[in-house]
Amino acid sequence: MAASKKAVWGPLVGAVDQGTSSTRFLVFNSKTAELLSHHQVEIKQEFPREGWVEQDPKEILHSVYECIEKTCEKLGQLNIDISNIKAIGVSNQRETTVVWDKITGEPLYNAVVWLDLRTQSTVESLSKRIPGNNNFVKSKTGLPLSTYFSAVKLHWLLDNVRKVQKAVEDKRALFGTIDSWLIWSLTGGVSGGVHCTDVTNASRTMLFNIHSLEWDKQLCDFFGIPMEILPNVRSSSEIYGLMKAGALKGVPISGCLGDQSAALVGQMCFQIGEAKNTYGTGCFLLCNTGHKCVFSDHGLLTTVAYKLGRDKPVYYALEGSVAIAGAVVRWLRDNLGIIKTSEEIEKLAKEVGTSYGCYFVPAFSGLYAPYWEPSARGIICGLTQFTNKCHIAFAALEAVCFQTREILDAMNRDCGIPLSHLQVDGGMTSNKILMQLQLQADILCIPVVKPSMPETTALGAAMAAGAAEGVNVWSLEPEDLSAVTMERFEPQINAEESEIRYSTWKKAVMKSMGWVTTQSPESGDPSIFCSLPLGFFIVSSMIMLIGARYISGVP
């Protein structure tokens, strides 16, 4: 919400929110946490082969500069002096992997996005080398060996891209997740750019020991990663360097958090047992476990939540990660064309108010928590001749809620004390069907609580930046934190009906598994992929079934 007044009291803090689908720059009043202005640019995703997901690192960087410049222009139109911006925080899509040349500043390959599946055979090969009685990878990192994390993506780049191999041999290569690439570039790049990351992003690489908070030589050797290309690991709240160009030249970059950790901070989940769920490209439920690493028995990840200062203690979290949430809406728009804009899905779903027995499992990148099943692929089942695109739209939204229920159940089992409510944020929470008509609350059977200002990821990055030593414009003391207005949604259906729908969903999930053969995605053979089982295409804006008798089990 833009400011309407002519003067703003109190220092301002900016936040770069670089996500999988878009980049944004937002400016907050550090005294009130009010969002004053922002600008957003959509980011293109490239799919050079089935299962491969890439982005252009230079496009990402240019989008950051564009968002900063446009936001500063908007502030000027509001008569807000941009010299009041005292610090900048960075929040980023995690695990996405970039390697660049520190002499030229040029990326050596596209960014390999967290959703990418090309490393499945690498994962299978590496898995065989982990002793069954000593899974040192998981015990050190809190993560299962998966295509999701940066180490296997970097391993693939080192094995398959000659420009990367040559740069490593010549001592010119630098590796980083998106935060590292942005901070290095924004603080000068080839002219003294700072090569660093924070503990939250480092904990998602699978090269970082979450107990010692250092890069781990055994892990680097296991994945074949030269340690000299890794960034320096810093806390989530300290001055890393100064902006070297643009409207905010000279402003310190002093906060850095992976997007999900940033949302945890922005939701002010600072107490043990407090949890939030963010609905973005994927869906991520984090629960603060305090200074203790809690390892999951039910398919969740152990990760670093935040470390808000060099001398401050580290906090950990349990995390349930869902690969496809908002991305399913983008898929319906871009791949099937049943909607022209993402907002239209709400209108379609509202027309029917039910999926009419249709269930959608959007396992486009396999299944993440709690299954960690890379062989899964997306399916739509329960189709009849009555099914139309409105039912498909409703089922897509319902799928996001069912996936959240699965990770909430796992979280409750690991923590031992069921969550009494769920705090939510992210772009999808503006969808009235998803939130306001109780779909998520109904499926969870607990209240859902949404902040009136949903930009909690950017807010968390701004809080970390403003609180940094040497900036000190944002107090993180409980008594000083601005009260956040919340909207509460209560379950509206009985628990029995919810359980029937949920159990049917789980049957659909089981049917989604085992679609990919053991043949390697890295071979580039597209025939081994099946984004969706054969069964439907869009014809004249309607989904028509091909092979429907097979799907329904009729001979």
Side-chain angles (χ1 to χ4, degrees):
M1 181 174 65
S4 57
K5 48 195 175 185
K6 297 296 183 184
V8 175
W9 300 100
L12 310 181
V13 179
V16 174
D17 181 6
Q18 204 299 298
T20 317
S21 302
S22 69
T23 297
R24 297 181 300 164
F25 185 69
L26 306 92
V27 175
F28 297 89
N29 183 326
S30 66
K31 300 303 180 186
T32 64
E34 178 188 6
L35 174 60
L36 301 175
S37 188
H38 76 282
H39 188 76
Q40 179 170 342
V41 172
E42 189 166 313
I43 299 294
K44 188 170 78 171
Q45 294 179 35
E46 299 176 22
F47 307 96
R49 298 183 186 179
E50 286 285 348
W52 293 31
V53 188
E54 298 179 359
Q55 291 179 320
D56 181 352
K58 293 177 74 172
E59 180 191 352
I60 290 173
L61 178 60
H62 292 155
S63 73
V64 170
Y65 278 119
E66 179 182 347
C67 287
I68 290 174
E69 297 300 315
K70 295 290 187 184
T71 302
C72 288
E73 289 176 13
K74 292 177 182 179
L75 290 171
Q77 293 165 6
L78 296 168
N79 290 336
I80 297 173
D81 189 345
I82 63 172
S83 68
N84 286 323
I85 299 175
K86 303 302 182 185
I88 295 169
V90 174
S91 162
N92 58 283
Q93 54 170 307
R94 303 171 303 169
E95 299 93 19
T96 296
T97 297
V98 187
V99 182
W100 66 95
D101 187 317
K102 66 182 177 183
I103 305 301
T104 66
E106 290 294 310
L108 297 167
Y109 191 80
N110 271 347
V112 181
V113 177
W114 57 278
L115 285 164
D116 190 278
L117 285 174
R118 77 187 66 187
T119 54
Q120 185 50 42
S121 69
T122 301
V123 169
E124 291 167 3
S125 173
L126 289 169
S127 296
K128 295 171 184 174
R129 294 169 45 199
I130 298 177
N133 60 350
N134 178 25
N135 189 341
F136 66 92
V137 174
K138 187 168 185 181
S139 65
K140 289 186 175 196
T141 67
L143 310 173
L145 191 58
S146 166
T147 59
Y148 183 16
F149 307 107
S150 308
V152 290
K153 303 179 194 301
L154 183 52
H155 180 100
W156 185 91
L157 289 168
L158 290 167
D159 274 0
N160 293 277
V161 181
R162 181 56 192 152
K163 286 174 69 175
V164 173
Q165 295 165 353
K166 184 74 166 59
V168 170
E169 292 165 7
D170 295 343
K171 309 295 183 186
R172 298 162 63 103
L174 295 178
F175 153 78
T177 42
I178 293 296
D179 58 303
S180 297
W181 163 244
L182 292 180
I183 292 173
W184 184 82
S185 301
L186 296 173
T187 57
V190 297
S191 302
V194 178
H195 187 216
C196 69
T197 189
D198 90 301
V199 290
T200 68
N201 281 295
S203 75
R204 311 298 293 192
T205 62
M206 206 172 256
L207 300 170
F208 186 72
N209 189 312
I210 61 174
H211 309 285
S212 67
L213 303 183
E214 295 176 332
W215 299 121
D216 189 283
K217 187 175 187 308
Q218 183 185 17
L219 291 170
C220 289
D221 289 345
F222 177 73
F223 288 105
I225 308 301
M227 295 186 75
E228 61 268 20
I229 73 173
L230 303 178
N232 293 318
V233 182
R234 312 275 284 271
S235 77
S236 308
S237 178
E238 59 179 275
I239 295 175
Y240 313 112
L242 306 180
M243 289 283 292
K244 288 296 172 67
L248 298 181
K249 182 179 180 180
V251 176
I253 300 174
S254 53
C256 179
L257 292 150
D259 52 9
Q260 304 314 317
S261 289
L264 194 73
V265 171
Q267 285 268 30
M268 301 176 200
C269 295
F270 294 127
Q271 303 300 314
I272 295 174
E274 292 184 333
K276 68 87 203 171
N277 195 36
T278 298
Y279 300 77
T281 297
C283 206
F284 303 90
L285 199 161
L286 270 69
C287 180
N288 190 329
T289 63
H291 306 308
K292 180 182 178 184
C293 283
V294 175
F295 285 85
S296 173
D297 294 321
H298 302 95
L300 303 182
L301 311 178
T302 304
T303 197
V304 175
Y306 52 83
K307 186 178 188 293
L308 296 175
R310 280 178 289 187
D311 301 322
K312 296 295 175 66
V314 64
Y315 281 76
Y316 296 95
L318 272 176
E319 174 175 336
S321 310
V322 169
I324 303 295
V328 74
V329 180
R330 189 167 177 165
W331 182 84
L332 289 174
R333 183 193 72 186
D334 297 345
N335 291 40
L336 294 194
I338 69 171
I339 53 175
K340 290 188 174 63
T341 66
S342 297
E343 292 72 27
E344 281 182 41
I345 192 171
E346 186 178 324
K347 179 182 176 183
L348 288 183
K350 189 175 181 180
E351 281 185 32
V352 287
T354 175
S355 68
Y356 202 79
C358 171
Y359 288 83
F360 192 159
V361 183
F364 302 151
S365 296
L367 290 169
Y368 286 8
Y371 301 100
W372 298 105
E373 181 49 69
S375 73
R377 288 294 178 272
I379 67 168
I380 301 176
C381 56
L383 298 166
T384 70
Q385 288 180 310
F386 183 72
T387 307
N388 63 33
K389 64 182 180 180
C390 297
H391 300 115
I392 300 288
F394 193 97
L397 295 181
E398 205 170 32
V400 176
C401 301
F402 284 131
Q403 290 179 109
T404 299
R405 168 71 186 271
E406 290 194 297
I407 56 178
L408 183 74
D409 284 356
M411 192 80 71
N412 286 340
R413 289 195 293 271
D414 278 323
C415 295
I417 303 173
L419 294 178
S420 59
H421 67 277
L422 182 65
Q423 293 175 223
V424 301
D425 58 71
M428 287 193 81
T429 60
S430 62
N431 188 296
K432 293 180 175 62
I433 295 290
L434 193 71
M435 293 291 152
Q436 294 186 351
L437 297 186
Q438 280 72 44
L439 186 55
Q440 183 67 91
D442 284 348
I443 289 170
L444 295 181
C445 299
I446 60 171
V448 168
V449 180
K450 173 190 168 187
S452 56
M453 199 288 292
E455 305 295 351
T456 54
T457 300
L459 178 61
M463 290 166 66
E469 183 179 353
V471 179
N472 302 118
V473 299
W474 205 309
S475 172
L476 297 184
E477 296 301 320
E479 63 271 16
D480 296 329
L481 292 171
S482 301
V484 178
T485 305
M486 297 287 190
E487 195 173 1
R488 187 179 177 96
F489 305 103
E490 301 284 346
Q492 297 294 308
I493 65 173
N494 63 55
E496 184 179 358
E497 180 183 343
S498 178
E499 289 302 320
I500 291 170
R501 287 161 61 185
Y502 182 47
S503 63
T504 309
W505 154 265
K506 291 180 81 70
K507 283 170 59 180
V509 170
M510 292 300 110
K511 293 182 184 297
S512 76
M513 295 184 187
W515 282 93
V516 177
T517 70
T518 56
Q519 191 175 349
S520 165
E522 295 167 50
S523 69
D525 177 7
S527 67
I528 67 169
F529 287 91
C530 188
S531 295
L532 292 172
L534 284 178
F536 49 94
F537 295 90
I538 297 295
V539 178
S540 302
S541 301
M542 298 291 289
I543 293 181
M544 304 299 292
L545 302 181
I546 297 178
R549 294 175 67 83
Y550 171 76
I551 292 173
S552 63
V554 177

